[in-house]
Amino acid sequence: MLNLTGKKALITGGSQGIGRVLAMELAKQGCEVVVNCAHHVENAENVVSEICAAGGKGSVFSCDVSDETAVNAGFKGLGRIDILINNARLDPWLRDKERSEGQWFSRVIDVNLKGAFLCSWAFLEQAKPLGWGRIVNMASVRSFRPAELNTIAYSVSKLGMHALTRAFAHNGAPFGITANTICPGMVLTENIDKRLSAEKKAEEEAAIPLGRAATSEEIADAVLFVLRNGYVTGETININGGMYYAP
Ligand SMILES: NC(=O)c1ccc[n+]([C@@H]2O[C@H](COP(=O)([O-])OP(=O)(O)OC[C@H]3O[C@@H](n4cnc5c(N)ncnc54)[C@H](OP(=O)(O)O)[C@@H]3O)[C@@H](O)[C@H]2O)c1
């Protein structure tokens, strides 16, 4: 299993939730971490401050991942990146009421799926000459389960991540670049705490076969596995407490 010390990792949407925990964990493993987000840049700055206070190395990359020009320019400016974690997402429960159904669908696909595609493409080009690289795509158990009306775009965007993973695994393999999908169920994050009342959260957790949501650290553990093990590629790690098979 590979030691990650000295690797440089970019985490899209690394300013909060699972991305934040991933950023902290990779820094602990000795990676230099680039923390991306588009809107609340102060959150990304706080993550980087925490990393640096703990003796690690980090920087902020403020960029909307759906903006092709900004992503390409950003990658040029960042220099070498060894690890790309496509984690940014438009939260489906923070629906922008001004958009029509079609406009919302396009925006979710743009951020969640096209954003991961643009970053992976830019990453692949710069990682090929290095002869080593890792792409991790964050999907969701919702890519396999029937969606409610308000989360159709989200589920479709996350199902697309699996195809993206296989495509980049295939095209990256000759250059020592792996790509894998991490597919969580319910994960306890600050957003979930804001969105769900204590009662609703308890009800949703009770419906999970293992009786609880995951911690972000448990998700980070699965990410570390595919980063360290260079022989796993094009695969999906389902980490959902049994939600995948539950009725
Ligand atoms: N939490 C769960 O229960 C759960 C379950 C299954 C899968 N997942 C997946 O795990 C990943 C992380 O989930 P989370 O709950 O931690 O997410 P989250 O709290 O909603 O955070 C999303 C992140 O994406 C950033 N972001 C939003 N729009 C962006 C854009 N256009 N460009 C760049 N960054 C953007 C946000 O920052 P700004 O808004 O400041 O830009 C934030 O850092 C997601 O891919 C999610 O689908 C989560």
Side-chain angles (χ1 to χ4, degrees), residues 17-18 184-190 192 208 213-217 219 239:
I18 298 169
M186 183 183 184
V187 187
L188 291 178
T189 59
E190 39 298 24
I192 291 221
I208 299 170
T215 63
S216 293
E217 286 75 10
I219 306 303
I239 171 163

Side-chain angles (χ1 to χ4, degrees), residues 108-231:
V108 171
I109 299 293
D110 270 2
V111 174
N112 297 10
L113 187 56
K114 190 179 95 179
F117 166 74
L118 293 174
C119 290
S120 300
W121 191 281
F123 172 81
L124 185 69
E125 286 312 303
Q126 64 88 49
K128 276 179 185 174
L130 304 173
W132 193 95
R134 298 279 186 269
I135 299 173
V136 178
N137 290 321
M138 297 298 290
S140 167
V141 73
R142 287 177 183 273
S143 48
F144 302 126
R145 291 177 64 86
E148 291 82 34
L149 283 173
N150 63 337
T151 57
I152 292 174
Y154 180 70
S155 292
V156 172
S157 72
K158 291 299 172 182
L159 186 58
M161 292 296 244
H162 301 276
L164 209 62
T165 292
R166 277 181 225 116
F168 279 93
H170 176 65
N171 289 286
F175 305 95
I177 296 164
T178 69
N180 291 287
T181 308
I182 303 298
C183 209
M186 183 183 184
V187 187
L188 291 178
T189 59
E190 39 298 24
N191 254 12
I192 291 221
D193 284 336
K194 272 189 236 156
R195 180 165 61 80
L196 299 179
S197 65
E199 294 74 34
K200 183 72 184 146
K201 196 167 104 184
E203 188 189 306
E204 292 202 5
E205 288 196 275
I208 299 170
L210 283 181
R212 65 171 179 86
T215 63
S216 293
E217 286 75 10
E218 285 170 316
I219 306 303
D221 199 42
V223 172
L224 283 179
F225 170 71
V226 294
L227 294 182
R228 288 192 178 123
N229 190 315
Y231 203 63

Side-chain angles (χ1 to χ4, degrees), residues 13 15-16 18 38-40 64-65 87 89 139 154 158 185 187 191:
S15 61
Q16 63 181 53
I18 298 169
H39 308 95
H40 308 99
D64 178 341
V65 292
N87 171 80
R89 67 128 179 218
Y154 180 70
K158 291 299 172 182
V187 187
N191 254 12

